Amino acid sequence: MSTGSLTGQVGLITGAGRGIGREIAIGLAADGMAVGLVGRTHETLTDTLKECVRHGSRGVAVTADVTRPGSVREAVRLVERDLGPIDLLVNNAGQVDRAEVPLWETDANQWWQVVETNLRGPYNLLRCILPGMVSREHGRIINLNSGFALRPDGHYTAYATSKGALLQLSDNMADSLAQHNIVVLDISPGAVATDMTAGMPMFKDMKSWGSIPYMVAVTVDAARGRFDALHGRFIHAGRDDLDELVARAERIRETDARTLRLRPYKPDDPMV
């Protein structure tokens, strides 16, 4: 249920024209947040914007390629010009390997395009938006991640590599961001039915999909600050008991859990 708790805040959502990004933008708008919608297709962004406005939210739709720094800078400039300083960044735009094949059979250009979209894209947004958040000593970042970041998959090497790198990027930023009251979270929605997953052979016989509305609710809660104590950590919205994670946040930080780390192989392992 909408509480209007995000009224007065501004969010920027990439990949907002369709799928999870569209629904997240609408969910944030329904809770009062002004939304900057960024994507590659004007028509789909406009459709999302109309739905956000229907909820009484202010919004702006900007076409941009997240892999191009100049395009991103202009998009951020337009969003902040029309809506104000950005309080929340949702890095949602992403691509996946087109073919389920081993590395040596991949299309080299498409492989790198996936990595650029999933890793360089978030970097470009962060590079433009973080200076303002740091100067204001306030902000939240949500990176849409995946369980592929945590386990090897020989058939989706570009996607898994890029998502693992994105998780590591968040980890590397976490301490410096904490000094400026900025929270970063990597959240996996699990396997949900989108245009992207529909094209993945591994999901062609999927009987039970995860819930996009639930992922939207989790994102809205994250924007409200519910998961701030889990700063720098990985959350699997499709599987985790979120109340338990929040309750154990201090212990999770103490044990360095929910981060990418090498496993020690003996008690005196120098990586311990």
Side-chain angles (χ1 to χ4, degrees), residues 20-240:
I20 295 175
R22 168 186 165 86
E23 299 307 318
I24 285 175
I26 294 170
L28 292 169
D31 214 68
M33 180 171 275
V35 289
L37 313 175
V38 176
R40 293 182 297 174
T41 307
H42 176 73
E43 291 76 15
T44 57
L45 288 175
T46 300
D47 287 343
T48 303
L49 179 58
K50 289 177 180 176
E51 189 65 20
C52 292
V53 170
R54 191 178 70 80
H55 285 284
S57 170
R58 294 186 301 132
V60 59
V62 184
T63 56
D65 180 344
V66 298
T67 69
R68 297 171 63 86
S71 183
V72 169
R73 282 195 298 272
E74 180 63 6
V76 171
R77 185 188 73 81
L78 292 173
V79 169
E80 293 193 322
R81 181 197 69 184
D82 291 353
L83 302 179
I86 294 166
D87 301 286
L88 172 72
L89 167 63
V90 180
N91 278 314
N92 165 74
Q95 291 191 26
V96 71
D97 311 50
R98 288 196 191 121
E100 201 173 72
V101 296
L103 180 71
W104 57 91
E105 294 179 12
T106 56
D107 179 298
N109 290 329
Q110 202 268 328
W111 196 97
W112 191 245
Q113 185 180 52
V114 172
V115 175
E116 282 210 302
T117 302
N118 298 353
L119 180 60
R120 190 181 187 188
Y123 166 81
N124 286 337
L125 270 299
L126 290 163
R127 182 63 185 85
C128 287
I129 291 173
L130 278 178
M133 288 185 173
V134 168
S135 68
R136 294 187 297 274
E137 296 282 314
H138 166 77
R140 292 188 177 92
I141 299 154
I142 298 173
N143 294 323
L144 269 286
N145 212 304
S146 168
F148 280 86
L150 307 172
R151 63 177 187 272
D153 190 290
H155 291 120
Y156 288 97
T157 52
Y159 185 75
T161 298
S162 63
K163 290 300 186 180
L166 181 61
L167 183 55
Q168 187 70 4
L169 176 62
S170 297
D171 193 10
N172 277 279
M173 294 189 300
D175 286 348
S176 55
L177 291 180
Q179 298 173 28
H180 300 282
N181 299 312
I182 300 168
V183 171
V184 59
L185 298 167
D186 279 66
I187 303 179
S188 168
V192 295
T194 64
D195 290 344
M196 187 178 82
T197 55
M200 298 172 70
M202 70 178 296
F203 293 131
K204 64 183 175 67
D205 297 321
M206 179 73 82
K207 305 297 184 194
S208 178
W209 291 96
S211 169
I212 291 180
Y214 181 65
M215 180 59 196
V216 172
V218 170
T219 304
V220 171
D221 275 351
R224 292 171 178 162
R226 179 186 176 194
F227 307 115
D228 283 2
L230 294 165
H231 167 65
R233 311 293 153 171
F234 178 87
I235 297 172
H236 198 305
R239 297 182 182 178
D240 282 327

